[in-house]
Amino acid sequence: MSKKVLVIFGTRPEAIKMAPLVKELKAFSSDFEVRICVTAQHREMLDQVMSFFNLSADYDLDLMKPDQNLFQLTADIVTGLKGVFDTYKPDYTFVHGDTTTTFAASLAAFYSGSRICHIEAGLRTFNKYSPFPEEMNRQLTGRLTDLHFAPTEQSKQNLLRENISEESIQVTGNTVIDALLQSVEKVKSNPSDLIHSLSAKLGNKEMILVTGHRRENHGEGFMRICKALKEIAESYPDIWIVYPVHLNPNVQKPVYSLLGSTDNILLIDPLDYPDFVWMMDRSKLIITDSGGVQEEAPSLGKPVLVMRDTTERPEAILAGTVKLVGTNTETIVTEVQKLITDNEHYEKMSQAHNPYGDGKACARIVKHLMDSVLSETI
Ligand code: UD1
Ligand code: UDP
């Protein structure tokens, strides 16, 4: 008899990283009945991904509110999911990563008695305020999880240190690389109209791609980041800085007011996933505080400066293609200058490698789920 699987996600990165898994699970329709539930913690940025990967939600809680707060969002997700669990009664619930959706959905799955499968398990900074609230979302989800799918050996070791049983952990690679490899050729061979016009605007000039949204950078952090970007733009008028600005009002307001009138800074709406992949590939270097971008860029051979003090993704730092620069204006400017002026340094940081996966994570996850179902080991 087929098992009922519920895949829950709510934000852009969760959707990107769950899309190839949903596809893989659905390929085994005689083993698994698969339904998707979106909390819609994000709306437009989630719908962009759903549309590119041809996903449609079976349950949509439609929860996003402008400038939402963690208290209300957490409560709304737990409460909203009750009806979904009562109706569908999944045997297995898949959650991804470290967002409020991840933690609240795990809690709801635990209350309903569904087995919890956590994708991208075991990443840790061990600093509960950085990233905030993601570090605790991921740790708490780990306490509730039955099957931990760790992307790297290092993340498995983190789980073992928390006395999580080895039999419940599988090292699979990160599904973000599955998504990237499934999309990159499609993107390059068939660029969108928007990419055609952005490409014409950039001409043959070099380009720095920027993203930023972390809660711990809101306020002062974003002021310092914007100051750094302005200084870089003024020092290098022949280089474009392109910044698809996250829709969070705590990001939109400072970024548009501080950078909106600098000639060689292009502020644009969040890009569709394939367009963003195209832009990463077109860039000389990337400045970001994103988790997912830290994983994708090394595969494309792009140096990444990470505007954070800690990272739960140490693998690419060890390999030398990602560097933590925090949000100090001077440090960001100096590190960018080094990459622009020192060729040897640039070459070292732009060695393509895949510390986060080989594109087969989803196949491993589904195979292990099948083995687990067969042997009733969980
Ligand atoms: C959330 C996650 C973060 C993840 C990030 C990915 C939490 C606590 N935060 O942060 O871990 O790295 O998503 O981008 O789970 N908004 C829109 N439209 C959208 C999306 C957001 O208007 O499609 C605006 C809304 O005003 C919303 C606000 O952004 O209230 C904040 O969204 P929220 O999901 O709470 O926080 P993020 O900063 O996006
Ligand atoms: N991304 C996108 N459009 C953009 C910026 C980023 O599709 O304009 C993708 C990016 O390729 C990566 C993911 O969004 O896969 C990262 O999401 P985000 O930075 O919002 O969240 P985080 O990874 O930090 O949780």
Side-chain angles (χ1 to χ4, degrees), residues 67-217:
D67 205 7
Q68 61 208 1
N69 67 73
L70 296 174
F71 300 82
Q72 186 72 53
L73 179 63
T74 306
D76 286 350
I77 296 170
V78 177
T79 315
L81 284 174
K82 182 174 188 304
V84 178
F85 280 103
D86 286 351
T87 312
Y88 185 47
K89 299 186 174 46
D91 299 297
Y92 296 92
T93 299
F94 277 78
V95 295
H96 181 282
D98 62 4
T99 69
T100 295
T101 289
T102 317
F103 167 56
S106 308
L107 191 59
F110 169 63
Y111 290 160
S112 79
S114 178
R115 288 165 183 154
I116 301 168
C117 306
H118 186 198
I119 309 297
E120 206 182 72
L123 282 67
R124 296 286 185 271
T125 63
F126 298 107
N127 175 343
K128 82 179 188 189
Y129 296 109
S130 179
F132 173 86
E134 290 84 1
E135 173 69 10
M136 288 316 294
N137 283 341
R138 205 187 296 265
Q139 288 197 26
L140 294 167
T141 300
R143 299 317 313 166
L144 298 166
T145 292
D146 298 284
L147 277 182
H148 305 260
F149 293 102
T152 65
E153 187 55 37
Q154 166 105 43
S155 37
K156 174 178 175 179
Q157 292 304 321
N158 291 336
L159 293 170
L160 291 176
R161 254 181 264 142
E162 292 172 7
N163 288 329
I164 286 169
S165 73
E166 187 157 13
E167 310 82 73
S168 68
I169 310 170
Q170 288 298 310
V171 177
T172 60
N174 197 311
T175 62
V176 76
I177 305 298
D178 298 34
L180 184 68
L181 298 184
Q182 285 168 28
S183 313
V184 78
E185 284 316 316
K186 220 186 302 178
V187 173
K188 279 190 195 165
S189 58
N190 190 16
S192 67
D193 292 347
L194 177 61
I195 286 298
H196 279 298
S197 67
L198 281 172
S199 179
K201 189 166 177 83
L202 299 176
N204 54 13
K205 288 187 177 172
E206 287 184 328
M207 183 264 282
I208 298 172
L209 184 63
V210 179
T211 78
H213 68 84
R214 298 242 80 84
R215 263 185 168 68
E216 61 273 24
N217 289 345

